[in-house]
Amino acid sequence: MNPRFSIIVPCCNVGKYIAPLASSLASQSCRDYEVLLVVEDSVDDTLAQCSKAAEGKPNWRIFTQPRSGSPAAPCPSAARFLPGRALVESIPRLHVPIRGQNAGDGH
């Protein structure tokens, strides 16, 4: 798989947002992407929800790491695994549609 772009999602104590994230991404017309979920140590069910969301989706990968204290810190950790162009978004903002023509080019 060589996706057009990658979506890095830092995840820490956001278990309740993972299902809406998966639903939002599934509804996009553009399918040429991968999702890298970077799960930091959480006190909720974030890792379990990420595992459930990624099940059966070969374009979703999960990485775990100790808690960094910064929402942006997980991004460089995942960036080394990027075959596509990076699109870094946080979970609450993923309600914006990914347009097939412009996905990954900043427009």
Side-chain angles (χ1 to χ4, degrees):
M1 181 175 97
N2 192 11
R4 184 171 170 201
F5 63 96
S6 301
I7 302 168
I8 301 172
V9 184
C11 302
C12 184
N13 296 323
V14 293
K16 67 181 181 180
Y17 297 108
I18 301 301
L21 165 75
S23 177
S24 175
L25 290 173
S27 70
Q28 303 301 320
S29 60
C30 177
R31 301 278 183 212
D32 192 12
Y33 63 86
E34 75 169 343
V35 177
L36 304 177
L37 300 166
V38 184
V39 182
E40 293 193 331
D41 293 336
S42 298
V43 297
D44 69 354
D45 63 343
T46 296
L47 182 57
Q49 291 299 318
C50 287
S51 297
K52 183 177 176 181
E55 190 173 303
K57 296 180 180 95
N59 61 325
W60 284 53
R61 295 191 284 165
I62 299 172
F63 300 92
T64 59
Q65 69 178 36
R67 183 131 187 223
S68 67
S70 168
C75 298
S77 300
R80 64 186 166 178
F81 299 103
L82 295 176
R85 295 176 62 181
L87 169 67
V88 179
E89 269 299 347
S90 62
I91 291 173
R93 294 189 56 190
L94 279 174
H95 66 279
V96 177
I98 300 170
R99 306 274 182 228
Q101 295 271 339
N102 298 323
D105 67 5
H107 294 95

